[in-house]
Amino acid sequence: MAIFTKRIPENHFCIVNLNNYNLKVMIKRNLLKFFVLVFLGTLLSLLHSCDKKEGFKEIESGKNPFEYKVYQLDNGLKVYLSKNEVAPRIQTYIGVKVGSKNDPNTHTGLAHYLEHLLFKGTQKLGTDQWEKERPILDKIEEKYEQYQSSSDGKKREKIYQEIDSLSYIASQYSIANEYDKIMAEMGSNGTNAYTSFDQTVYLTNIPSKSLEKWVKIEADRFQNMVIRLFHTELEAVYEEYNISCESDDDRIADLLMKKLYPQHGYGTKTTIGKPEHLKNPSIKRIKDFYNKYYIPNNMVMVLSGDLNYENTIKKIAKEFGSWNSKELIKEKQIATELKGVENIKTIGNESAKVAIGYRLPGYRADDNFVFSIIERMLFNGFGGLMDKNLIKSNRVQDAYAYLWSNEDYSTFILGGNGHDNQELVETQILLFEQIELLKLGAFPDWLPKAAYNDLKNEYLKRIDNNEHRANEMLSAGLYDYSTEDFIQRLEKYKNISKQDIVKKANDFFKNNYCTISMEQGNFKAPKIAAPKITPIKRRKNSKSDFYKEVSNLPEEVEKQEFKDIDAILKKNKKGNYFFVENKANDLFQLEFIMEKGSYDNPLLALGLEYIKQLGSAEMSQEELTNEFYKNGVNWDLKIASKTIRIQMEGLAESLPKTLSLIENLIQKPKPNSTIFKSFIASKIKQRSDLFYKQEDLLWKVFLGHIKHGKENPMMDTYSKKFLTSVNEKDLLLAVNNFFHELDYVHYFGPKPFNKVKKNLEFVAFDNQREEKNILEKNIEQKTYFMHHQMVQAEVLMVAKSGVVHENNWVDHLVYKGYFGNLAYRELRESRGLAYSTYITIREATRKNKHDYVMGYIGAQADKLPLALNGLKTLIKRSPDDVKLFEESKTSLIKQIQSQRLKDRYIFERWYVLQKKGFERDLYEKALKKLENYSFNDFVAFYENNIANLDYSTLILGDKTAIDFNMLDARVKNIEWVDKKDLLE
């Protein structure tokens, strides 16, 4: 018998006798079985290998209320995706489950500072000479350790000078802003980040075709962060700290958390950090924090937009899959028991106010959403208990309720401002009364369900919004919810009752609160003084190999689509009724628009504000408010200097009832002399409050004075002289004519417009009205100073440009991109002079009006001379950076290519363009112009339209903190402006 032995893979052997027929048959059968088994085994092995190579699995999916899929990579990273083809763009979030509560006790503010540093690049992005840069960065790290461990003032100063010198040397090998540049080149917008108690989140909106580039950049950024350009970014954090200390609202929030959460990170730490820790930063500690928490199994990634599920997850797994997970142990933080009610008295620089904060269960508590319903029952801007009992009845100047949910605990905050001469304790008592009404059940039976419906309608309106979808999935991921449970959490409470609310209010609104009474006074905010630094070197024309590699990645070709507005926006022959069909849901929007505002007819504008607090001849104010709210309808009044708009939205079935209620209120308001007196007093206080608000002082009072003089339409308030002379009868007479002087009616909804129009017989139009012209003063080349007690000093340079025209639109877009980036990079990044700075063009909103070129910088008072000179130099510098121009142009092209016009916003686009006198195909024309737009074209535009403009320089700051002798000679001849004179 001839026998042989055949070697089979995997060390199997087959022995056969070829002289035996039966044996041959058996061998054939067995060989067939063997090869089948080998084939199946190989196939299974390949499939297993393929699955392992992809390194992910789908763990959730759903379609209600929006479509989504959830995947998990082998390293623990969870990826949440939602397909939404409304536009060829994707909203992205990358969330890390760590925040300021996790800061080391000796280095608070660290999580927030790390967030800033994630934008500075990696070993591959942000440098083209890493091996030369690296040892210098190591030396800087060592010096900071020496700096924080030393208490000797002179020694610390010497060490900081060494840090400053090393930082300049390191900047010769780095490429500042390369992350921002590459994101802009991709066509991204809204690139930003935020840090809170429990989380740090990075976000941007990208064109769908740039997905592969984005994934590659972010994978490198989160796995290979490098801490560079440290001391200039520290300057920005110092500025942020100084700004927050000056905010009354921020100080109130910090005080509430400190008292409500003793021994817990919410109360012992603030996101911005303590000044003693910010002054003594440690790069080593930041790296330790990054290595501990920035790991895939402690992060989530969220994308919502025009994407393909399979292709997207494969791209993410390819780039993020090799990132190793680590064991992560987080200590559970528990706040100690409250030792009774805390009552804090303090002073602020704005108007007097009170706040009450209750400590409640955290985000993941089963009943957390009930407090959202309670918040809406108390305050919804319309029919809540606080709206009716406090605001509309004029018992307070303003009031609000707000649920601030965090992982471990939630805080329910009530706040308000009293009238002039109203004691803060009285305002506080009024707020407590609203909580007592909840506990006693002294509210209508239908209110909880109405509040629930209000929340649900708001939710449904935002379903097609990618940012909303992404936020929903982000919260589910960061707080470890089942996605389905989280995004359908409203359904659990659809049958909520009055008894549920009463029980919850009595269970949780007890002596677990703290009150803050902040009187208006002269609060001196602490500040961190800025050390002197040498501007870093900006290598404008350098690019890393990684930048080039990513830029050269292919992008999917997409077909550009521009909708014809006139084809979608239906209108009647006279052109005053406009309507667009809502095919998505049963919600409607309807608005009445009058091209006449508070500047043209202050009686009408003030009268409309007044009647919101009245009832009609048929219903009391409370009955009227209840009817709106029960029918699931909101209505709002928007008054500007040149327009008045009444807007309604809600369930389509409620539209006829809504129109009837609005018609009766405006044409038959019921006078009330008591409410009128209180209303006028409230408006007078509103004007006087401008005296204390830093933002309003600069942008409304000061700028309005320079642009328009005494008749300043930017104030958005009525003069004290007008308010003290007006009477109720004149207001109501003016209101009666509103529906007979309209310019447009816009309807967006599911019902055919011919059916809607039957309910609009009371509407008439006035196209013969005379328009009151707003005076635009000539801008003088002068410097103006307004004193206001504040830590920072703010500078605004403004010049009047040409009359608004669509031919300049592309030039303006490029100017904003180019000079906006230039200001940020040179004044903030390179020189550390400001937390916020920009140069832009503000286009007129109406034809025949002028555009304005503006430059802004907010800096510490001791840095004002440098900041002012830096801004002046940039705004007057002719374009000279071809690379920055190309970057700005490319970004604009991609943003316009990826924009889509949603149906509900069709009319608004038409309305904005019509007021300016622009063509409706503006975006299509702009894209064609941009594609052929050269650097020489841009320079020519600048030289012909911008170069020779005269600028007024506005400085708002504390005169006692500014060394005027250090200001440039060009601004020493200052004209002082007294804010009291402008607020009479």
Side-chain angles (χ1 to χ4, degrees), residues 694-703 794 796 856 956:
Q694 182 176 320
E695 184 177 356
D696 287 343
L697 277 175
L698 179 63
W699 292 101
K700 293 181 178 181
V701 180
F702 203 175
L703 178 59
E794 293 188 289
L796 180 63
Y856 168 85
L956 180 70

Side-chain angles (χ1 to χ4, degrees), residues 32 99 113 123 274 363 437 501 740 797 805 827 869 925:
L32 180 62
Y113 193 28
Q123 299 171 18
K274 296 178 181 178
Y363 211 114
L437 292 176
I501 297 298
H740 300 148
M797 294 184 65
H805 198 286
L827 300 180
N869 290 342
K925 287 181 178 179

Side-chain angles (χ1 to χ4, degrees), residues 30 84 128 139 144 211 243 254 318 364 446 495-496 510 526 534 561 695 758 936:
N30 286 338
N84 183 21
D128 57 355
K139 288 181 182 178
Y144 268 108
L211 175 63
I243 293 169
D254 288 346
K318 177 184 175 183
R364 283 196 53 80
W446 52 263
N495 295 317
I496 193 156
K510 298 181 179 178
T534 303
E561 174 189 343
E695 184 177 356
K758 293 178 181 178
N936 288 336

Side-chain angles (χ1 to χ4, degrees), residues 557-774:
V557 178
E558 67 180 53
K559 183 180 178 182
Q560 180 58 40
E561 174 189 343
F562 288 102
K563 291 184 178 180
D564 183 352
I565 293 181
D566 292 319
I568 304 170
L569 183 62
K570 308 299 181 184
K571 58 184 177 182
N572 64 344
K573 290 182 180 180
K574 292 184 178 180
N576 39 35
Y577 282 110
F578 293 83
F579 46 99
V580 178
E581 183 182 1
N582 178 12
K583 299 177 182 179
N585 51 47
D586 290 327
L587 299 176
F588 81 89
Q589 291 180 331
L590 190 140
E591 60 180 335
F592 301 112
I593 302 172
M594 177 186 287
E595 291 287 282
K596 185 166 66 172
S598 57
Y599 184 75
D600 304 284
N601 192 338
L603 274 176
L604 172 61
L606 186 65
L608 287 170
E609 286 192 66
Y610 172 51
I611 66 165
K612 286 198 74 175
Q613 301 184 11
L614 300 179
S616 67
E618 298 178 356
M619 290 185 180
S620 67
Q621 193 273 333
E622 183 175 356
E623 291 171 331
L624 193 61
T625 298
N626 291 347
E627 280 299 307
F628 279 121
Y629 207 59
K630 283 192 290 186
N631 283 279
V633 174
N634 290 321
W635 77 278
D636 196 13
L637 176 66
K638 293 187 176 180
I639 297 175
S641 59
K642 300 297 292 183
T643 57
I644 295 175
R645 301 171 80 157
I646 291 181
Q647 300 174 325
M648 294 154 281
E649 58 182 15
L651 299 170
E653 63 189 33
S654 302
L655 179 57
K657 177 73 171 178
T658 301
L659 289 172
S660 175
L661 293 173
I662 289 286
E663 179 191 6
N664 284 325
L665 174 61
I666 289 179
Q667 296 192 339
K668 302 174 184 177
K670 190 173 183 179
N672 187 310
S673 59
T674 302
I675 292 178
F676 175 73
K677 290 177 183 177
S678 181
F679 169 74
I680 294 298
S682 175
K683 299 306 291 184
I684 291 172
K685 185 176 186 298
Q686 185 182 36
R687 185 177 182 88
S688 65
D689 283 348
L690 287 174
F691 188 90
Y692 306 111
K693 294 180 180 178
Q694 182 176 320
E695 184 177 356
D696 287 343
L697 277 175
L698 179 63
W699 292 101
K700 293 181 178 181
V701 180
F702 203 175
L703 178 59
H705 170 68
I706 301 303
K707 287 175 65 177
H708 305 291
K710 291 183 178 180
E711 292 195 22
N712 176 10
M714 297 172 64
M715 296 262 284
D716 293 331
T717 59
Y718 310 92
S719 71
K720 188 174 181 180
K721 181 179 178 181
F722 170 73
L723 289 169
T724 52
S725 62
V726 74
N727 64 70
E728 184 181 22
K729 183 179 179 181
D730 289 340
L731 286 187
L732 298 183
L733 282 174
V735 166
N736 287 158
N737 294 323
F738 176 74
F739 285 125
H740 300 148
E741 298 181 2
L742 294 179
D743 289 274
Y744 306 111
V745 173
H746 166 231
Y747 166 75
F748 172 74
K751 288 186 177 182
F753 185 70
N754 58 351
K755 292 186 177 180
V756 174
K757 194 176 178 182
K758 293 178 181 178
N759 299 292
L760 293 169
E761 294 178 351
F762 56 89
V763 168
F765 297 93
D766 179 8
N767 298 316
Q768 306 299 319
R769 181 188 316 111
E770 291 185 12
E771 184 175 355
K772 186 178 177 183
N773 186 50
I774 292 178

